[in-house]
Amino acid sequence: MMSGRVIAVVGPSGVGKDSVMAGLAATLPKAHLVQRVITRAKEAGGEPYHPVTDQEFDKLVARGAFCIHWRAHGLAYGIPRDLYDELALGKVCLVNFSRTALEKAARLFPNFVILNITAAPGTLAQRLSARARESEDEIARRLEKAVKTLPSHGDIRHVSNDGPLAETVARAAQILAMPGPQRPLLGQTPCDAHAGKGTNP
């Protein structure tokens, strides 16, 4: 029986997901910041993650090393199966998610919450330019994709990150502490989670 919960942090590139997650990890009781496995070079920087090659990632998938994985922006992302162990300990697991993987994740994890972080287009453009990881064309493409549809069901909470980070983190912590809807996404059943059914969103 898993008593913890997964908080899936989503939002467009440049919105500050990693910074907000780090702030929440230092604020929320029993918080666990999940490190993803990504087919991104180690020197690319950004969030703390486990870099692997495409071939290594495929081998990990074949071994069942992930509870869920997906592809986005030309990269592969995996969430290690030890997430289940953290949930069993009652941890609040903060995970940087792709919006395309949310419906699958909601079937896998009980007590699943989506934290949607938003920011104005101008804020996003400034942050993407400042991190110096994409070309101008790549930044333009990411801004075009900034508005994406979220699932129509489930516990979805929204917070703006246009202002100071400390204020955003404080608001997010308050929002996450509030009672939320307990409706499952698309027929979630708790027994599906630990069985690890369906690892590809």
Side-chain angles (χ1 to χ4, degrees):
M1 188 71 176
M2 290 179 287
S3 59
R5 66 172 173 164
V6 172
I7 297 175
V9 182
V10 299
S13 297
V15 79
K17 295 188 292 291
D18 298 326
S19 297
V20 174
M21 289 172 65
L24 287 172
T27 302
L28 298 177
K30 301 188 74 173
H32 171 66
L33 192 58
V34 177
Q35 288 194 14
R36 303 185 293 180
V37 176
I38 309 177
T39 56
R40 178 192 290 156
K42 183 178 181 179
E43 59 271 16
E47 66 181 282
Y49 62 96
H50 302 290
V52 296
T53 65
D54 285 291
Q55 293 77 16
E56 290 170 336
F57 191 92
D58 290 342
K59 290 179 180 178
L60 289 169
V61 171
R63 295 208 309 262
F66 303 127
C67 52
I68 186 170
H69 62 92
W70 65 88
R71 288 188 176 272
H73 306 299
L75 299 172
Y77 300 80
I79 306 302
R81 289 190 66 86
D82 61 10
L83 173 63
Y84 291 135
D85 297 330
E86 301 296 337
L87 292 174
L89 293 172
K91 296 291 186 67
V92 176
C93 296
L94 297 155
V95 190
N96 187 334
F97 255 93
S98 168
R99 282 167 284 193
T100 61
L102 290 175
E103 291 184 354
K104 173 62 72 175
R107 295 188 185 101
L108 294 174
F109 307 117
N111 306 320
F112 185 72
V113 178
I114 299 169
L115 179 64
N116 181 42
I117 303 176
T118 64
T123 303
L124 296 176
Q126 289 178 354
R127 290 175 181 166
L128 287 170
S129 179
R131 71 185 190 180
R133 276 169 34 192
E134 296 95 355
S135 66
E136 290 184 6
D137 288 342
E138 289 171 331
I139 289 175
R141 286 195 293 271
R142 286 185 179 271
L143 290 174
E144 288 175 358
K145 297 178 181 178
V147 179
K148 289 185 179 179
T149 303
L150 290 169
S152 57
H153 301 82
D155 191 345
I156 305 173
R157 311 184 187 200
H158 306 270
V159 64
S160 169
N161 190 29
D162 278 304
L165 176 62
E167 293 181 7
T168 301
V169 172
R171 284 198 306 272
Q174 290 176 344
I175 290 169
L176 291 170
M178 295 171 60
Q182 300 300 311
R183 294 170 300 168
L185 279 175
L186 300 181
Q188 170 186 300
T189 57
C191 62
D192 288 341
H194 214 61
K197 295 180 180 179
T199 56
N200 193 4

